[in-house]
Amino acid sequence: MTERSDTKKWGPRTNAVRAGTNRAFQETSEGLFLTSGYAYDSPDQAAARFAGEDKGYIYSRFSNPTVEMFENRLAAIEGAEWCMAAATGMAAVSSVFMCHLKPGDHIVSSRALFGSCRYVADDLCSRFNIEADFIDGTDLDAWKRAVRPETKLFFLETPSNPGLEVMDVQAIADIAHNCGAKLLVDNVFATPILQHPFELGADLVVYSATKHMDGQGRVMGGAILGNDVEWRDEFLRPFMRNTGPSLSPFNAWVLLKSLETLDLRVRAMAQNALEVAEALSPHIGHPLARVLYPFRHDHKQVDIAKRQMEGGGTVVTLDFAGDDETAQDRAFQFLRALELIDVSNNLGDAKSLATHNRTTTHHRLTEEARREQGITPGMVRVSIGLEDTADLMTDLNGALASVR
Ligand SMILES: *Cc1c(COP(=O)(O)O)cnc(C)c1O
């Protein structure tokens, strides 16, 4: 088994291929332990294991060797004390909310959120008498103003989906800590490769492993990472063990192998995305109103993005010009004309994918909530993959030229 002392001195790329490995037969590839249960030598051993006196596995809802390898590897890449895997990104997000908060507590959240995150922080929490304020996450004073004595959690996603707003994690962490709240960062868009929220003061980080970690469109998964072991043992672990959002060992195995190439894939995709974002400039004016990308010179928070990210991410968002109806019509014309890039609502995949967020990922929100989040009828999110940028640009230029 790789030792914790090794993973702490290794670089992230070594950790990506080595950390967490626990060999049963000196196998080179990590073992897939597709098992729900475990047998004991004796009833005495079973009793000792349940009492926590004997180390070992009990049931795969609690823990599993393959899932544990994934957790240990991701924790090492992130530089976090611990990681708990979850069945999906949303299982990870909702577990943090549900284990940490109780009736009467208050949340401050950026309003630019993934649709399902908004459901958890808003609809679900309000049913348990947990109030939330949704603010413009790029406005530091808005975070300060929203704080109440009952504030227990700050939540943000940066860059945000699909508007790619960038929030100053360090400054927001300071505000959270001044009022005794924890800062939870959804780091899906930035990935553990391009942004390190713990170094910026975050308390908890969540991922949808479905996105860049798998990155090849196969499995769902999620993860929660943190440094506070007591909090994990008191709140998160009992919640996850007893409510059951555990990651399947098969999915954990796929994700474990995917982590080996995460750095290579994400950096290559981010390089492609930067090239595409720059090369789309001639279309600004017609048919596009804007090209959004955190590392473009005209992005509103480009300075913060360059300070806290090692790359601008793998998503480029297009915003078509025109009144609402015209803009949405143009977005649809563009999507219909794409020949290489797929129309699909996933992201972080090796294959480039494009989606019209207003009518797909964010269709459940009211128009007002979408406007608040900056989601316009003309917005198309393009997740840039690993194809040749020349081919991507041929497809994008062709589709844009066909828009009337
Ligand atoms: C996809 C996504 C999630 C949810 O992840 P699932 O694996 O689909 O449950 C959460 N946050 C962001 C930013 C996402 O893109």
Side-chain angles (χ1 to χ4, degrees), residues 161-229:
N161 175 28
L164 305 179
E165 285 181 1
V166 173
M167 283 147 242
D168 186 336
V169 177
Q170 192 146 31
I172 297 165
D174 287 344
I175 302 167
H177 298 155
N178 274 335
C179 73
K182 282 193 188 289
L183 171 61
L184 168 64
V185 174
D186 179 335
N187 204 37
V188 168
F189 270 54
T191 79
I193 306 304
L194 302 178
Q195 180 167 272
H196 312 291
F198 290 117
E199 290 171 13
L200 301 167
D203 301 287
L204 295 160
V205 172
V206 281
Y207 288 106
S208 164
T210 319
K211 309 294 167 57
H212 305 79
M213 284 182 197
D214 174 33
Q216 290 147 88
R218 300 163 298 188
V219 299
M220 306 289 300
I224 306 156
L225 296 106
N227 291 316
D228 186 343
V229 174

XYZ file of all heavy atoms in Angstrom, residues 161-229:
505
model
N -21.353 27.835 -13.780
C -21.970 27.124 -14.900
C -23.284 27.799 -15.266
O -24.164 27.863 -14.405
C -22.232 25.678 -14.450
C -22.984 24.867 -15.475
O -22.903 25.121 -16.652
N -23.735 23.887 -15.002
N -23.512 28.242 -16.469
C -22.621 28.257 -17.627
C -21.990 29.619 -17.880
O -21.258 29.775 -18.842
C -23.584 27.943 -18.775
C -24.856 28.630 -18.354
C -24.889 28.611 -16.841
N -22.261 30.597 -16.963
C -21.829 31.981 -17.224
C -20.343 32.233 -17.006
O -19.822 33.285 -17.363
N -19.639 31.247 -16.396
C -18.193 31.329 -16.167
C -17.779 32.565 -15.362
O -16.726 33.160 -15.604
C -17.424 31.244 -17.499
C -17.749 30.013 -18.348
C -16.953 30.025 -19.647
C -17.459 28.718 -17.579
N -18.636 32.942 -14.409
C -18.250 33.997 -13.472
C -17.153 33.446 -12.565
O -17.210 32.288 -12.154
C -19.435 34.373 -12.576
C -20.489 35.196 -13.258
C -21.614 35.564 -12.305
O -21.560 35.198 -11.117
O -22.556 36.206 -12.783
N -16.192 34.298 -12.231
C -15.079 33.866 -11.380
C -15.176 34.591 -10.047
O -15.322 35.814 -10.005
C -13.729 34.137 -12.073
C -12.573 33.842 -11.128
C -13.615 33.285 -13.338
N -15.130 33.825 -8.951
C -15.231 34.405 -7.616
C -13.898 34.306 -6.878
O -13.168 33.331 -7.048
C -16.323 33.689 -6.826
C -17.704 34.159 -7.249
S -18.921 32.864 -7.132
C -19.425 32.744 -8.844
N -13.633 35.295 -6.045
C -12.367 35.385 -5.323
C -12.434 34.468 -4.083
O -12.932 34.862 -3.033
C -12.164 36.855 -4.925
C -10.802 37.100 -4.298
O -10.207 36.144 -3.747
O -10.350 38.252 -4.355
N -11.936 33.263 -4.227
C -12.109 32.247 -3.180
C -11.456 32.680 -1.864
O -12.047 32.545 -0.788
C -11.555 30.877 -3.640
C -11.681 29.841 -2.527
C -12.290 30.395 -4.889
N -10.255 33.238 -1.959
C -9.531 33.620 -0.744
C -10.290 34.699 0.040
O -10.465 34.577 1.258
C -8.153 34.145 -1.138
C -7.217 34.299 0.032
C -5.784 33.987 -0.376
O -5.375 34.216 -1.524
N -5.029 33.438 0.540
N -10.756 35.717 -0.655
C -11.474 36.811 0.019
C -12.778 36.303 0.626
O -13.149 36.688 1.744
C -11.740 37.944 -0.970
N -13.471 35.416 -0.081
C -14.750 34.898 0.417
C -14.513 33.953 1.598
O -15.280 33.942 2.564
C -15.546 34.240 -0.733
C -15.889 35.296 -1.798
C -16.821 33.577 -0.212
C -16.342 34.739 -3.137
N -13.417 33.192 1.553
C -13.076 32.318 2.685
C -12.842 33.158 3.943
O -13.286 32.792 5.041
C -11.837 31.483 2.357
N -12.187 34.293 3.791
C -11.932 35.164 4.951
C -13.247 35.655 5.558
O -13.397 35.677 6.780
C -11.074 36.373 4.540
C -9.620 35.980 4.269
O -9.231 34.856 4.687
O -8.900 36.766 3.641
N -14.188 36.044 4.693
C -15.485 36.526 5.195
C -16.220 35.386 5.920
O -16.775 35.579 7.002
C -16.352 37.090 4.040
C -15.620 38.233 3.325
C -17.715 37.556 4.555
C -16.243 38.648 1.989
N -16.178 34.204 5.339
C -16.842 33.047 5.954
C -16.245 32.768 7.332
O -16.962 32.549 8.311
C -16.706 31.817 5.057
N -14.923 32.770 7.411
C -14.270 32.407 8.671
C -14.483 33.468 9.748
O -14.554 33.138 10.929
C -12.786 32.113 8.426
C -12.592 30.951 7.489
N -11.481 30.775 6.720
C -13.425 29.905 7.200
C -11.618 29.675 5.993
N -12.792 29.135 6.261
N -14.621 34.728 9.314
C -14.917 35.792 10.289
C -16.249 35.587 10.979
O -16.455 36.065 12.096
C -14.924 37.164 9.595
C -13.530 37.739 9.536
O -12.681 37.396 10.348
N -13.288 38.606 8.570
N -17.183 34.907 10.301
C -18.500 34.703 10.929
C -18.667 33.258 11.378
O -19.755 32.831 11.747
C -19.624 35.150 10.000
S -19.919 34.070 8.619
N -17.594 32.481 11.350
C -17.657 31.102 11.852
C -18.355 30.128 10.918
O -18.743 29.032 11.329
N -18.517 30.515 9.639
C -19.148 29.594 8.676
C -18.076 28.820 7.921
O -16.921 29.236 7.864
C -20.006 30.387 7.695
N -18.480 27.680 7.351
C -17.568 26.921 6.495
C -17.778 27.342 5.052
O -18.913 27.607 4.642
C -17.855 25.418 6.617
C -17.299 24.781 7.887
C -17.353 23.260 7.771
C -16.984 22.567 9.074
N -15.550 22.675 9.416
N -16.691 27.363 4.291
C -16.814 27.642 2.855
C -16.711 26.336 2.072
O -15.706 25.631 2.148
C -15.717 28.612 2.380
C -15.639 28.797 0.852
C -16.931 29.378 0.277
C -14.451 29.666 0.468
N -17.788 26.050 1.331
C -17.851 24.870 0.462
C -17.692 25.341 -0.982
O -18.460 26.187 -1.450
C -19.206 24.175 0.649
C -19.590 23.086 -0.359
C -18.637 21.897 -0.276
C -21.033 22.617 -0.114
N -16.695 24.782 -1.682
C -16.462 25.162 -3.077
C -16.770 23.976 -3.990
O -16.248 22.882 -3.797
C -14.995 25.623 -3.294
C -14.716 25.887 -4.771
C -14.702 26.881 -2.474
N -17.649 24.198 -4.950
C -17.889 23.232 -6.021
C -16.830 23.527 -7.081
O -16.907 24.531 -7.783
C -19.316 23.434 -6.556
C -19.659 22.487 -7.701
O -18.731 22.035 -8.392
O -20.858 22.231 -7.909
N -15.826 22.655 -7.158
C -14.646 22.926 -7.998
C -14.701 22.181 -9.334
O -13.683 21.937 -9.959
C -13.384 22.526 -7.212
C -12.126 23.252 -7.661
O -12.173 24.431 -8.011
N -11.003 22.554 -7.652
N -15.918 21.814 -9.751
C -16.064 20.993 -10.960
C -15.481 21.668 -12.192
O -14.712 21.059 -12.939
C -17.550 20.654 -11.204
C -17.751 20.069 -12.593
C -18.046 19.659 -10.154
N -15.821 22.940 -12.409
C -15.381 23.588 -13.653
C -13.869 23.802 -13.682
O -13.261 23.762 -14.735
C -16.131 24.911 -13.871
C -17.395 24.714 -14.655
C -18.345 23.786 -14.246
C -17.632 25.421 -15.818
C -19.502 23.571 -14.978
C -18.786 25.217 -16.564
C -19.721 24.294 -16.142
N -13.274 24.048 -12.521
C -11.832 24.318 -12.498
C -11.020 23.028 -12.444
O -9.883 23.000 -12.920
C -11.495 25.198 -11.305
N -11.580 21.986 -11.863
C -10.900 20.694 -11.664
C -9.762 20.815 -10.633
O -9.235 21.905 -10.430
C -10.284 20.092 -12.962
O -9.046 20.757 -13.248
C -11.224 20.190 -14.154
N -9.359 19.677 -10.024
C -8.254 19.743 -9.050
C -6.927 20.101 -9.717
O -5.944 20.402 -9.038
C -8.194 18.328 -8.462
C -9.086 17.482 -9.273
C -9.937 18.344 -10.146
N -6.892 20.090 -11.040
C -5.642 20.389 -11.746
C -5.431 21.905 -11.851
O -4.325 22.395 -11.647
C -5.658 19.770 -13.170
C -5.975 18.269 -13.096
C -4.359 20.042 -13.911
C -5.065 17.448 -12.226
N -6.496 22.642 -12.139
C -6.331 24.073 -12.455
C -6.611 25.002 -11.278
O -6.325 26.191 -11.364
C -7.232 24.447 -13.645
C -6.984 23.657 -14.936
C -7.968 24.097 -16.021
C -5.549 23.839 -15.426
N -7.192 24.490 -10.199
C -7.497 25.378 -9.059
C -7.452 24.580 -7.763
O -7.979 23.474 -7.706
C -8.895 25.969 -9.264
C -9.370 26.917 -8.163
C -10.608 27.685 -8.619
O -10.491 28.742 -9.229
N -11.795 27.149 -8.349
N -6.831 25.169 -6.736
C -6.614 24.464 -5.473
C -7.314 25.220 -4.353
O -6.680 26.020 -3.642
C -5.114 24.331 -5.216
C -4.368 23.834 -6.426
N -4.511 22.551 -6.885
C -3.529 24.453 -7.292
C -3.784 22.394 -7.978
N -3.176 23.539 -8.242
N -8.620 24.978 -4.168
C -9.398 25.779 -3.212
C -8.877 25.721 -1.774
O -9.002 26.704 -1.048
C -10.806 25.183 -3.293
C -10.859 24.529 -4.633
C -9.476 24.017 -4.884
N -8.275 24.592 -1.357
C -7.791 24.526 0.034
C -6.668 25.524 0.271
O -6.561 26.116 1.337
C -7.359 23.106 0.413
C -8.519 22.158 0.518
C -8.638 21.068 -0.323
C -9.519 22.371 1.469
C -9.721 20.206 -0.232
C -10.613 21.522 1.562
C -10.711 20.432 0.711
N -5.826 25.719 -0.749
C -4.739 26.703 -0.609
C -5.295 28.119 -0.523
O -4.625 29.035 -0.063
C -3.777 26.602 -1.798
C -2.964 25.320 -1.772
C -2.156 25.091 -3.050
O -2.024 26.028 -3.853
O -1.678 23.960 -3.223
N -6.541 28.296 -0.977
C -7.178 29.611 -0.958
C -8.087 29.769 0.260
O -8.785 30.773 0.391
C -7.986 29.815 -2.245
C -7.189 29.731 -3.560
C -8.123 29.635 -4.760
C -6.264 30.931 -3.709
N -8.128 28.749 1.133
C -8.873 28.883 2.381
C -10.197 28.143 2.448
O -10.905 28.237 3.448
N -10.562 27.406 1.398
C -11.835 26.657 1.442
C -11.765 25.599 2.539
O -10.690 25.082 2.863
C -12.105 25.999 0.095
N -12.942 25.273 3.129
C -13.009 24.225 4.157
C -13.388 22.885 3.553
O -12.964 21.842 4.039
C -14.045 24.614 5.213
C -13.691 25.935 5.860
O -12.738 25.940 6.651
O -14.326 26.953 5.539
N -14.237 22.933 2.535
C -14.722 21.712 1.907
C -14.766 21.923 0.396
O -15.086 23.019 -0.072
C -16.132 21.369 2.405
C -16.252 21.023 3.890
C -17.701 21.182 4.357
C -15.764 19.600 4.142
N -14.451 20.854 -0.334
C -14.506 20.910 -1.797
C -15.337 19.735 -2.280
O -15.202 18.624 -1.757
C -13.076 20.846 -2.395
C -13.119 20.697 -3.912
C -12.272 22.093 -2.011
N -16.229 19.993 -3.235
C -17.008 18.892 -3.831
C -16.736 18.817 -5.331
O -16.458 19.825 -5.973
C -18.539 19.037 -3.620
C -18.943 18.611 -2.244
C -19.024 20.428 -3.960
N -16.839 17.577 -5.830
C -16.686 17.318 -7.268
C -17.803 16.437 -7.778
O -18.247 15.527 -7.075
C -15.367 16.576 -7.563
C -14.154 17.434 -7.407
C -13.315 17.288 -6.311
C -13.858 18.407 -8.358
C -12.198 18.089 -6.160
C -12.740 19.211 -8.208
C -11.916 19.054 -7.118
O -10.821 19.848 -6.970
N -18.170 16.692 -9.019
C -18.850 15.689 -9.815
C -17.732 14.971 -10.554
O -17.089 15.547 -11.430
C -19.793 16.357 -10.819
O -20.143 15.404 -11.797
N -17.486 13.715 -10.198
C -16.439 12.945 -10.885
C -16.907 12.518 -12.274
O -16.109 12.068 -13.100
C -16.045 11.727 -10.048
N -18.217 12.670 -12.501
C -18.807 12.382 -13.815
C -18.177 13.238 -14.906
O -18.140 12.828 -16.065
C -20.321 12.731 -13.760
O -20.850 12.304 -12.511
C -21.083 12.113 -14.899
N -17.720 14.415 -14.536
C -17.244 15.367 -15.523
C -15.796 15.038 -15.904
O -15.560 14.004 -16.453
C -17.404 16.790 -14.978
C -18.825 17.067 -14.447
C -19.885 17.061 -15.533
C -21.307 17.009 -14.997
N -21.672 18.087 -14.089
N -14.839 15.917 -15.577
C -13.480 15.706 -16.093
C -12.811 14.452 -15.545
O -11.933 13.892 -16.187
C -12.591 16.902 -15.760
C -13.153 18.202 -16.237
N -14.152 18.870 -15.558
C -12.869 18.948 -17.326
C -14.439 19.985 -16.218
N -13.680 20.052 -17.282
N -13.171 14.024 -14.324
C -12.446 12.889 -13.735
C -12.648 11.641 -14.570
O -11.689 11.002 -14.968
C -12.870 12.668 -12.290
C -12.249 13.714 -11.399
S -12.656 13.473 -9.688
C -12.230 15.106 -9.089
N -13.904 11.278 -14.827
C -14.119 10.208 -15.807
C -13.685 10.755 -17.164
O -12.807 10.198 -17.813
C -15.578 9.757 -15.829
C -15.825 8.762 -16.954
O -14.891 7.990 -17.257
O -16.907 8.772 -17.539
N -14.314 11.833 -17.565
C -13.871 12.540 -18.761
C -14.031 11.772 -20.059
O -13.573 12.219 -21.106
N -14.662 10.602 -19.996
C -14.829 9.811 -21.205
C -16.258 9.281 -21.287
O -16.537 8.268 -21.933
C -13.783 8.681 -21.238
C -12.377 9.269 -21.472
C -11.286 8.481 -20.770
O -10.746 7.531 -21.310
N -10.989 8.860 -19.539
N -17.160 10.002 -20.589
C -18.588 9.771 -20.761
C -19.118 8.425 -20.296
O -20.121 7.952 -20.815
N -18.486 7.804 -19.290
C -18.882 6.441 -18.936
C -19.663 6.334 -17.633
O -20.738 5.741 -17.588
C -17.635 5.542 -18.839
C -16.867 5.488 -20.140
C -15.464 4.960 -19.945
N -14.681 5.828 -19.069
C -13.393 5.697 -18.847
N -12.729 4.704 -19.402
N -12.762 6.522 -18.064
N -19.139 6.880 -16.555
C -19.752 6.607 -15.245
C -20.073 7.895 -14.482
O -19.484 8.943 -14.722
C -18.843 5.727 -14.345
C -18.587 4.378 -14.991
C -17.536 6.437 -14.007
N -20.996 7.755 -13.538
C -21.329 8.830 -12.612
C -20.473 8.658 -11.346
O -20.163 7.533 -10.946
C -22.800 8.758 -12.177
C -23.835 8.723 -13.291
S -24.020 10.265 -14.190
C -24.511 11.397 -12.902
N -20.145 9.761 -10.727
C -19.426 9.691 -9.457
C -19.314 11.065 -8.845
O -19.560 12.085 -9.513
N -18.950 11.101 -7.566
C -18.782 12.381 -6.888
C -17.804 12.225 -5.746
O -17.423 11.101 -5.377
N -17.381 13.345 -5.182
C -16.438 13.295 -4.069
C -16.549 14.541 -3.209
O -16.864 15.622 -3.710
C -15.008 13.161 -4.592
N -16.295 14.342 -1.906
C -16.220 15.442 -0.941
C -14.832 15.374 -0.339
O -14.386 14.286 0.070
C -17.257 15.242 0.185
C -18.650 15.053 -0.402
C -17.218 16.408 1.183
C -19.599 14.300 0.518
N -14.145 16.514 -0.265
C -12.811 16.537 0.330
C -12.732 17.599 1.407
O -13.433 18.618 1.337
C -11.747 16.823 -0.728
C -11.617 15.742 -1.810
C -12.212 16.216 -3.115
C -10.181 15.324 -1.990
N -11.877 17.336 2.412
C -11.712 18.301 3.487
C -10.476 17.999 4.306
O -9.750 17.027 4.041
N -10.220 18.855 5.291
C -9.073 18.663 6.179
C -9.487 18.427 7.630
O -8.672 18.001 8.436
C -8.153 19.894 6.107
C -7.463 19.978 4.754
O -6.983 18.967 4.234
N -7.450 21.161 4.173
N -10.753 18.716 7.951
C -11.217 18.614 9.329
C -11.725 17.182 9.596
O -12.823 16.815 9.199
C -12.340 19.652 9.528
C -12.814 19.730 10.976
O -12.531 18.800 11.756
O -13.483 20.733 11.297
N -10.867 16.390 10.233
C -11.174 14.975 10.457
C -12.324 14.811 11.466
O -13.180 13.933 11.315
C -9.904 14.221 10.929
C -10.220 12.790 11.323
C -8.839 14.254 9.839
